[in-house]
Amino acid sequence: MSPILSRRSFLALSAMLPWAFRAQALSSIPVGLELYSVRDALQKDPQGTVRAVAAMGYQAVEFYAPYFDWTEAQTKEMRKLLDELGMRCYSTHNDQDYLSAKNIEKTRDKNLILGCKYVVLAYSEPKTKNGADGWKHLAEELNTAGEQLEPAGLRVGYHNHQAEFTASGGQRPMEILAKNTKSSVMLQLDVGTCLAARAGPVAWIRANPGRIRSIHCKEWSPAPEKGYKVLLGEGVADWKGIFEAAESVGGIEYYLIEQEGSRFSELEPARRCLQEFRTRHAER
């Protein structure tokens, strides 16, 4: 038995499976976990952690940067596990270097093995030095990477942080990226960082119809001692409005829960947030 998933934990999580299957029936839109949420456990035992996440009722996972260093055999073993568990990896989070000319073929091959649809740029250093031109250049890089990956059936995405929603010179960088990237480039919305920048997630979704194909359901509180550490439902996010906008105009294909830290150990927030997500989504 994996050290990440003890016998007691396995039995407890297994008891939740009937509830999880009922909950999955509430929506045809898959719900996954961004595995940065359980990064310490994932580093110690990748397969055991994915099994634990599956037992909670998650339908998908999103791997982040360390996946790039897996061997081909390790990548294939992970895909085999996902298939056995009936899970999907719709997208990965990638460093900017992974989309460079020297690495993009390796990135393509790993994402194809995992069965992904989107290769998401997880973060770009703020381009404030170069202002709008810096963000326009990033948009060009995303378009170019998209053109290189498209023949393999993969698409590019961009994941925002707080900087992209913080206005500079009267314009928000995310607006520059949205305007200067092709419509095929997914705009993966991180709710928590959008809120931290005092921007409106619902308004952003409605302003970019068809491009918000996945959302990081991360909560945020304005209380300095809380911030991103609150669990889903404990902050200020308007989840009902977000779900309605995402599913009516946003083009949502899958949701991803993310937790950066909390008062609990890593796996517990993932379980609690999924339960809260299911409840709120059913009530929308």
Side-chain angles (χ1 to χ4, degrees), residues 47 75-85 113:
Q47 294 218 355
T75 308
K76 288 181 176 178
E77 279 298 309
M78 184 56 73
R79 172 61 186 275
K80 180 181 178 182
L81 176 63
L82 292 175
D83 289 344
E84 289 174 357
L85 295 170
I113 291 172

Side-chain angles (χ1 to χ4, degrees), residues 4-39:
I4 296 300
L5 190 59
S6 67
R7 177 175 174 78
R8 172 179 288 183
S9 298
F10 181 80
L11 291 173
L13 290 170
S14 296
M16 292 171 54
L17 285 175
W19 172 87
F21 292 140
R22 290 195 302 272
Q24 287 180 13
L26 294 174
S27 172
S28 60
I29 302 173
V31 183
L33 181 69
E34 160 53 57
L35 290 173
Y36 183 76
S37 307
V38 290
R39 52 197 174 276

